[in-house]
Every structure is written in C-alpha cells, then in structure tokens.
Amino acid sequence: AAPPPSAPGEPAPPPPPLQYSVLLQHLVGDKRQPRVWDPATLGGIPCPPKSEEQKMVERVMESCPFKAALACVGGFVLGGAFGIFTAGIDTNVGFDPKDPYRTPTAKEVLKDMGQRGISYAKNFAIVGAMFSCTECVVESYRGKSDWKNSVISGCITGGAIGFRAGLKAGVIGCGGFAAFSAAVDYYLR
C-alpha cells in the first residue's frame, strides 16, 4: 500500500521496511514465476520440449544393458563379415590335408566360410559386450565421459582376454587394447 500523501512542508514518511519473507517467496517460494527457457534467445536452435516417452527412450538408450546389447549385436555382425571376408581370401579354405591335390567343392568352401564367420562373430560379440559393459561401469563410477574411460575399459577388457593365456599375455593385452582404444577415441573425438 502506498503511504498517504504528505503536506508540502512536512517531511516524507519513511518507506515501509523491506520484508525478506515476501522477497524470498517471489524468488524461491510458491509465488515464484518459472522462467521460460528459449534456446532461440541464446542463439541456439529452438526445439520443442521432450515428451515423457522421448525421455524414457533416451533413458533406455543410455542404459548399460542397452549399450552392451548393441555392442554385442554390432560385434556379431562385424565379426561375421570379417570372418567371411578372411575365409574368402584364404587359399586353405576347404583344403583337405589327406588329399592336397583335390580341389575343394563350392559347398565345402561355403561351409568353411560359414564356420569361420560364426566363429569370428561370436568372438567379436563377446569382446564388444565386454568392452561396452566395462566402459559403462567405468563411466558411471568416474562420473565423467572422456577419453580415460575408453583407455581404462580397453585395458580391463584386453587384460581379461589375455589373462587366459597367462600374466604376460594379460599385460600385453591390457596395453594393446588400451592403446587401440585411445587411438580410436582420439580419432572419433
């Protein structure tokens, strides 16, 4: 409320004291007006707010199990293609050591190509899933998304795979996978 007007010769009455509780209610309380965030005012591309379904899909796609499944399927497809390719250029596909002069039939060559493709596909799928799971766990533990996550997870994955052949192979696998992960991460970022 405005103070009553004073006569021309009288001193002006002092303003009412500032009530911090009223000020706080307008800043952080129930009466606070939400600020509309418009990316266009900041120079960004305007986009509509995300629906609950979109947020749920994003949460699923960012989850560790989804990333592991995607890496497993991708590794399977890539490994199968790599296995079929290497079998296609290998001169020993369909070769019978008992009869070295016999030419293998197309059926035998295709069978060997399929077997090698499946073998490579399974191995690539396992490595992809291991790496993806490890990277997701490391990223969740560290709370950061940077190049160190891929190097650490590459070392863990390579060490685990190489450790089956002994400690030295585990250390070499750790270093090799870590270096490869660092190179890929450097190239992709």
Side-chain angles (χ1 to χ4, degrees), residues 35-46:
R35 294 179 68 191
V36 177
W37 186 76
D38 185 14
T41 60
L42 301 174
I45 299 172

Side-chain angles (χ1 to χ4, degrees), residues 126-157:
I126 290 169
V127 170
M130 282 178 63
F131 181 82
S132 179
C133 285
T134 308
E135 185 175 34
C136 196
V137 168
V138 168
E139 185 176 321
S140 298
Y141 177 75
R142 291 186 67 230
K144 297 179 184 176
S145 179
D146 58 3
W147 63 273
K148 293 177 186 177
N149 294 340
S150 61
V151 171
I152 293 168
S153 58
C155 179
I156 292 170
T157 303

Side-chain angles (χ1 to χ4, degrees), residues 5 7 9 17-18 45 55 66 72 101 108 127 131 133 147-148 158 181 188:
L18 182 62
I45 299 172
K55 291 177 184 178
F66 182 81
C72 186
Y101 296 108
E108 292 170 338
V127 170
F131 181 82
C133 285
W147 63 273
K148 293 177 186 177
S181 299
L188 291 178

Side-chain angles (χ1 to χ4, degrees), residues 5 17 20 24-25 28 40 59-60 63 90 93 96 102 105 107-108 111 128 132-133 138 159 162 167 169:
Y20 287 107
L24 285 176
Q25 282 181 351
V28 294
R59 282 193 300 270
V60 167
S63 68
D90 188 6
V93 171
D96 185 13
R102 186 179 74 78
T105 64
K107 184 177 181 179
E108 292 170 338
K111 181 180 175 186
S132 179
C133 285
V138 168
L167 182 62

Side-chain angles (χ1 to χ4, degrees), residues 25 31 45 49 61-62 64 67 76 110-111 113 163:
Q25 282 181 351
K31 295 181 181 177
I45 299 172
M61 292 182 79
E62 290 292 325
C64 290
K67 288 180 180 179
F76 189 85
L110 290 174
K111 181 180 175 186
M113 287 174 71
F163 191 68

